[in-house]
Structure formats: C-alpha cells, structure tokens
Amino acid sequence: MASLLKLEQDVQGKVDSFRARIAQEAEDLVSTFFPQTLSELDSWVQELCLQDLSIIRSVPAPETPVSPDTAGDGPNRDRLPLQTQSSIKVLALPGGEGQLLRSNQHLVELIQHVKPEIELLREKCNTVRMWVQLLLPKAEDGNNFGVSIQEDTADQLWTVESTAASYLRRFSTYYNTQAKLVSKTVKYPQVEDYRRTVAEVNEKEYQSVRQILLHVRNQYATLHDVTLKNIEKIETPRSTNTDNLYRGPFSTPLSFRSWLSCSGSWKAGS
C-alpha cells in the first residue's frame, strides 16, 4: 500500500503561514472592510441621483474654424442649443484634418472611478472565497450540512466575481458603440437622428454605470450578511461526536444507545 503523502517541514510551514494570512485577511474583510465600503458606496450612489442629465447627453463634435460671419461676439458668445447644432458644418475626420473628437468626459470620469471599485470587489471576494475553501474538511460520509453551507458560500462568492468581470467587459462595448455612432454624425452631420442617438446612448450608459455601482454596493451588503449569519458553520462545518451526545442533568455524556434505554425505561415507568 502506498504511504500517505507527506510534506517537508519547511514546505508545510509555508502552507500553514499562507492559510493563516488568508484567514486573517478574510476575517478583517467580512468584519470591517465590507461594511465600511458598503457605507461609502451607498453615499456615492445617492450623489449620482441627477435630475438634469443635459451634461450627460452632450454630443461631441470637432471644433470648426471660426469665420467672421460665425464668430458672433467672440469667445464669450452663447453656445447654440443641441436642436440647432445639426445645421453646423462638421468637418469629417478622414483626410488628415487632425481633429480630435473628445469622449463624453463626464462618463469617462465616472467610469474611471467605478472600475477600480469593481476590480476591488473581485479581489476581495477572491480572498474570502479562498478562505472558505481552505476551511473545507476532508470528504466523509454524513454530517455534511455545514460543508454544504461552505460550498454554497464559495459558489456565491464565485458568482459575484464572474458578474464583476462582466461589468468590466461592458465598458469597452459602450466605447465601441459610441465610436461608431459619433463616426456617423461626422459623416452625415445633416442627419439629426444620429446625434439624438448619441445623446440617448450617453444617458443610458450613465444610468447603467449607476446601476452597476448599486449592484456592487448590494453585493457587499449581501456577502457581509450571509457570511455573518453562517460564520459558525463556515468555520466549524462538522460538529464533534461529543457535541451530538445527550447530556444528562450532571453533564455526563450518554451514548445514543444508553439514551434510548433510559428513554424506554422512563416511558415504561410512566
């Protein structure tokens, strides 16, 4: 029969050190980091409840050279509203014009602030999930209710990580869609619907980014709540045999067979 696998003492020490570090980090995350981040994100979400989305619906366009008949009162003249901007002659990008169409800076700044929060959620969930998985006991028959709670918690953490990854991928989709639409507005400046579509896409993206931030906040709240409610089963998935024994009035453990015989005697005596 093959002998049991044994690790060298220094290797085992490194593994034990890693397990202890992960456990300490995970416990700090659940007890301190999750509720603190939840409070911060909740305040941020409330600040994003804008009633006026006109700054979000802006349509980018390259600056046209100023001519005497369009200069107006100089650089301090009023900007034309969106409805009348469709009549402005917009220079096409191809042909070496060197014009730069700026992105929607309000959305760019918002996305740049939200992305680190999503990446942070993924990283912290990975640490807590590793902690739960390292607490899984060896496979045995029976008494696996606590083990199933550990597995369900690890699965939930993995789902949060996967969802966060999909949030990060969707940002590139927005930029790609926006680039195609803006290219249409440059190529066909006389078509007002392209410009309106750009404005609608910008507004939709703003609402989507805010919704993502809501989801990130809710994930912190859910993970904190679920972990605390099941912390006993997560840390000690299987109870010892002594814990399952009936204890009499003098705290003397009785075996299940002895308990049955005593129970039968009591019933017979009654």
Side-chain angles (χ1 to χ4, degrees):
M1 176 181 292
S3 60
L4 295 177
L5 179 63
K6 295 182 180 180
L7 296 178
E8 296 181 3
Q9 186 174 1
D10 59 337
V11 175
Q12 184 63 49
K14 293 179 180 179
V15 173
D16 293 340
S17 177
F18 171 77
R19 294 169 64 97
R21 178 173 61 84
I22 290 296
Q24 183 62 50
E25 290 181 6
E27 291 173 359
D28 292 342
L29 288 175
V30 174
S31 62
T32 304
F33 180 81
F34 282 8
Q36 287 181 351
T37 307
L38 162 64
S39 177
E40 294 172 1
L41 292 180
D42 185 59
S43 300
W44 189 7
V45 168
Q46 302 305 323
E47 294 175 359
L48 292 179
C49 295
L50 294 182
Q51 300 297 326
D52 183 13
L53 296 179
S54 59
I55 59 175
I56 304 297
R57 295 173 58 89
S58 61
V59 180
E63 298 180 357
T64 56
V66 178
S67 57
D69 56 341
T70 60
D73 297 330
N76 296 325
R77 68 184 184 279
D78 296 334
R79 295 177 58 87
L80 294 176
L82 177 62
Q83 289 78 4
T84 60
Q85 286 182 2
S86 58
S87 61
I88 299 177
K89 182 179 180 181
V90 182
L91 298 178
L93 290 180
E97 295 290 345
Q99 301 277 348
L100 174 64
L101 279 177
R102 303 286 297 178
S103 303
N104 188 309
Q105 295 304 302
H106 299 284
L107 279 175
V108 169
E109 292 177 2
L110 179 60
I111 292 173
Q112 288 177 345
H113 282 82
V114 171
K115 284 177 65 176
E117 296 295 337
I118 299 174
E119 295 169 351
L120 188 63
L121 175 64
R122 291 181 63 193
E123 178 183 349
K124 301 310 181 183
C125 282
N126 182 272
T127 299
V128 178
R129 180 167 59 88
M130 177 57 62
W131 170 59
V132 174
Q133 290 178 330
L134 289 175
L135 289 173
L136 285 169
K138 66 179 182 179
E140 292 181 359
D141 293 334
N143 197 16
N144 287 322
F145 177 72
V147 179
S148 66
I149 292 178
Q150 288 179 319
E151 293 174 342
D152 290 343
T153 304
D155 290 342
Q156 186 171 355
L157 289 162
W158 172 249
T159 301
V160 173
E161 290 183 59
S162 302
T163 305
S166 67
Y167 292 156
L168 293 174
R169 289 192 296 269
R170 73 174 308 282
F171 292 137
S172 61
T173 302
Y174 158 71
Y175 286 128
N176 186 48
T177 302
Q178 181 79 342
K180 292 179 179 179
L181 287 172
V182 172
S183 299
K184 292 289 187 180
T185 63
V186 172
K187 189 175 182 179
Y188 305 104
Q190 69 278 11
V191 181
E192 184 180 8
D193 286 339
Y194 281 136
R195 302 177 62 82
R196 292 187 179 276
T197 304
V198 171
E200 292 294 334
V201 169
N202 284 333
E203 180 179 345
K204 180 181 177 181
E205 182 65 14
Y206 174 82
Q207 300 291 355
S208 297
V209 174
R210 183 179 180 276
Q211 194 67 26
I212 287 175
L213 196 61
L214 274 171
H215 289 165
V216 173
R217 181 204 64 181
N218 294 344
Q219 294 294 356
Y220 278 118
T222 301
L223 294 176
H224 174 72
D225 183 66
V226 169
T227 306
L228 286 186
K229 286 180 178 177
N230 299 286
I231 190 64
E232 293 183 2
K233 288 297 183 181
I234 291 175
E235 293 186 336
T236 310
R238 290 196 179 117
S239 58
T240 61
N241 293 332
T242 304
D243 294 335
N244 290 331
L245 298 179
Y246 172 80
R247 292 184 178 272
F250 301 102
S251 299
T252 302
L254 297 177
S255 66
F256 185 68
R257 185 184 298 274
S258 300
W259 180 81
L260 282 179
S261 62
C262 292
S263 177
S265 300
W266 295 334
K267 290 182 179 179
S270 61

